[in-house]
C-alpha cells in the first residue's frame, strides 16, 4: 500500500490526513489573513509612491525588499 502524501507539498503524512502539519500551519485561516494584510500594506506603500520621482520609488522598493528579506529569515518579528 502506498504511503499517504500531502496534497500540497507531497510530504509523507499520517493515514487519513490530506495535508502535512507544515502546510496546515502555512495555509491556516490566520496565516492567510496575515498574508492578506501584508499585501494590503504593500499596496498602500506603493500608492504613496505612485506619483513621485524615480529616486523615492527606488528607495521604497529597497525598503520593501529589506523588510521581506528580514521576514523570511525570521529576524523581522
Amino acid at each position: 500500500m502506498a504511503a499517504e502524501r500531502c496534497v500540497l507539498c507531497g510530504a509523507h503524512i499520517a493515514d487519513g490526513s490530506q495535508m502535512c502539519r507544515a502546510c496546515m500551519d502555512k495555509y491556516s485561516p490566520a496565516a492567510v489573513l496575515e498574508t492578506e494584510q501584508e499585501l494590503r500594506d504593500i499596496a498602500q506603500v506603493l500608492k504613496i509612491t505612485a506619483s513621485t520621482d524615480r529616486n523615492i520609488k527606488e528607495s521604497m522598493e529597497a525598503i520593501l525588499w529589506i523588510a521581506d528579506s528580514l521576514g523570511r529569515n525570521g529576524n523581522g518579528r
Side-chain angles (χ1 to χ4, degrees):
M1 187 158 132
E4 296 289 323
R5 295 196 173 267
C6 175
V7 295
L8 295 174
C9 72
H12 292 283
I13 56 175
D15 288 340
S17 297
Q18 292 186 350
M19 293 171 46
C20 66
R21 174 56 56 191
C23 286
M24 282 193 274
D25 291 343
K26 183 176 181 180
Y27 297 105
S28 71
V32 171
L33 289 175
E34 183 179 329
T35 301
E36 288 175 358
Q37 184 58 50
E38 289 173 358
L39 291 174
R40 280 197 226 56
D41 293 344
I42 291 169
Q44 284 298 107
V45 170
L46 294 176
K47 281 186 202 176
I48 292 169
T49 62
S51 61
T52 58
D53 64 18
R54 182 179 172 98
N55 230 5
I56 294 173
K57 286 182 183 179
E58 289 176 357
S59 296
M60 290 305 299
E61 288 173 3
I63 290 169
L64 290 171
W65 183 84
I66 291 168
D68 182 56
S69 177
L70 288 172
R72 277 188 269 124
N73 293 330
N75 298 328
R77 294 178 191 232

